[in-house]
Amino acid sequence: MTRSPLPVGLIFGGASGEHAVSIRSAATVAAAVRHADNAGRYDLRCFYIDPEGRWWGSDVAEAVLEQGTPVRPEQLPQPLPEPGFRGFPAGALEVAIWLPVLHGPNGEDGTIQGLFTLMQVPFVGSGVLGSAVGMDKQAMKAAFAAAGLPQVPYACASASQVAQDPDALLDRLEAQLGYPCFVKPANLGSSVGISKATDRASLLAGLQTAAALDPRLVIEQGVTARELECAVRGGGHQPLQASVLGEICFDADWYDYDTKYSEGKSHTVIPAVVPEAIAERARAMAIQACEAVAAMGLSRVDFFYSEASPGHPNGELWLNEINTLPGFTSQSMYPMLWAASGVPLPILVRELLEGAREWHQASLLGGPSA
């Protein structure tokens, strides 16, 4: 008997500063699903969330994927509905499994995962807890610290502290971390809002920039180190698996948004040229990081690695952060790391979809939930 194709809902865009990156990732994932679907297994349905948070169906979604840029006003029906989610577009309620390709707030932070959970429809990626903890750098770092995972020295701050008593905050950060240090909004990705501070004036400016984007801030001590990344998949009733390591190499002072997403400003080395003992330790730490924040499905875990020195003959490895919905653009490490580990993108996407279905079925039967 011929089985009907499984309706898969690819949802992308989002009311986030990473909207444009999400479109690029979604185009790659859509092509991978269609390439993997030579057996007619899937009925791919694309849905687009515009920068105002409104949901649109396939007509708008496919146009955005084709043009590769955010929706234009003339592409949307008039009059426009109010901003925010106001109901599902046609075909969304028939989706059997959701494939979110959303980066940043309102997509990676547990919000849309909560919606799918209430609908009792399987979805790819971490659940509400893993998504929320993995997104908020303050909560993430607290979870890593509780698990005993090594991190560079850091401090937390709030936008209210920046506004009400900046001198006291600056004094605390200078005493605790010194210079250089990096100021980060707690709930943004892709290096959005991150700045490097080398003195009191640049630290204040960085805090003010980050505070305008997020009420929760993280400040990290700067270290001279290489940047390594590891991809992880699985979880739930499947064992977590870690990929080979990759290294991000760049000529800029640090790995900012422009360097990350501009052609020719950075390159990757896969596998990373590091001692095997460091590679094994990083892969083990990547799995421990996922377990610490309850991440599952897919994650990319980032590290700082300082090579051997007189005081540290084996080098130093620090956990930087976890990304529970990593990018899938042509320059993104997550799919490249798995391809280098023997899992090409079409197979990877198919395994992510099937793993989400299996986890959902197991949870309905009384298994653990994430």
Side-chain angles (χ1 to χ4, degrees):
M1 186 176 77
T2 303
R3 296 176 59 183
S4 299
L6 186 73
V8 172
L10 173 65
I11 181 78
F12 66 98
S16 160
E18 299 175 73
H19 186 99
V21 179
S22 172
I23 294 172
R24 293 171 57 187
S25 290
T28 303
V29 172
V33 173
R34 287 166 174 150
H35 180 70
D37 195 25
N38 51 18
R41 182 182 289 108
Y42 305 122
D43 170 19
L44 183 65
R45 304 181 183 187
C46 297
F47 301 92
Y48 173 68
I49 303 177
D50 71 23
E52 298 297 324
R54 293 175 290 239
W55 288 44
W56 301 95
S58 61
D59 289 348
V60 172
E62 294 288 357
V64 171
L65 286 178
E66 183 176 354
Q67 71 195 25
T69 56
V71 66
R72 298 188 297 266
E74 64 270 18
Q75 293 175 292
L76 298 176
Q78 298 291 336
L80 291 175
E82 291 295 314
F85 176 72
R86 291 293 182 273
F88 292 102
L93 291 178
E94 290 77 47
V95 166
I97 180 169
W98 285 96
L99 179 52
V101 184
L102 296 158
H103 308 310
N106 304 305
E108 190 176 347
D109 57 2
T111 50
I112 201 165
Q113 289 79 9
L115 175 61
F116 294 151
T117 300
L118 288 172
M119 294 169 63
Q120 299 188 28
V121 179
F123 56 91
V124 171
S126 295
V128 174
L129 176 62
S131 299
V133 176
M135 182 71 191
D136 186 283
K137 292 180 177 64
Q138 288 192 10
M140 174 192 71
K141 286 181 172 294
F144 290 164
L149 296 169
Q151 305 176 78
V152 299
Y154 72 95
C156 298
S158 67
S160 63
Q161 292 171 333
V162 177
Q164 294 171 9
D165 196 352
D167 286 329
L169 176 59
L170 291 169
D171 289 343
R172 174 168 70 87
L173 296 176
E174 286 178 330
Q176 189 171 347
L177 302 175
Y179 298 108
C181 60
F182 289 87
V183 183
K184 301 181 178 182
N187 286 281
L188 293 178
S190 292
S191 300
V192 174
I194 298 179
S195 62
K196 181 179 180 179
T198 56
D199 54 30
R200 193 175 179 94
S202 57
L203 177 56
L204 176 59
L207 289 168
Q208 292 171 334
T209 296
L213 298 170
D214 195 329
R216 292 160 63 83
L217 315 177
V218 167
I219 305 90
E220 296 175 349
Q221 187 177 85
V223 294
T224 301
R226 295 162 62 182
E227 299 204 13
L228 307 178
E229 299 187 353
C230 181
V232 181
R233 62 192 174 118
H237 291 278
Q238 301 175 338
L240 288 167
Q241 301 177 58
S243 72
V244 300
L245 294 191
E247 180 175 5
I248 299 288
C249 302
F250 49 91
D251 296 326
D253 186 36
W254 59 283
Y255 196 41
D256 60 6
Y257 184 95
D258 181 61
T259 303
K260 186 173 292 187
Y261 291 109
S262 297
E263 292 283 353
K265 291 195 173 184
S266 65
H267 68 277
T268 58
V269 177
I270 303 175
V273 182
V274 297
E276 183 56 32
I278 292 295
E280 290 180 2
R281 185 180 173 201
R283 286 193 290 267
M285 284 174 57
I287 291 175
Q288 291 172 325
C290 290
E291 293 172 340
V293 303
M296 61 175 293
L298 70 163
S299 294
R300 193 197 69 239
V301 183
D302 302 345
F303 301 89
F304 296 128
Y305 169 55
S306 178
E307 296 177 300
S309 64
H312 300 278
N314 297 319
E316 290 187 90
L317 187 67
W318 299 279
L319 186 57
N320 178 18
E321 64 182 28
I322 189 170
N323 188 319
T324 59
L325 270 179
F328 269 86
T329 74
S330 60
Q331 296 174 269
S332 295
M333 283 287 266
Y334 188 84
M336 290 195 296
L337 287 169
W338 279 120
S341 303
V343 186
L345 181 57
I347 294 176
L348 174 63
V349 171
R350 187 178 70 213
E351 290 186 355
L352 291 173
L353 289 168
E354 296 304 321
R357 290 183 71 201
E358 292 171 8
W359 169 244
H360 179 73
Q361 290 298 320
S363 65
L364 292 178
L365 295 173
S369 60

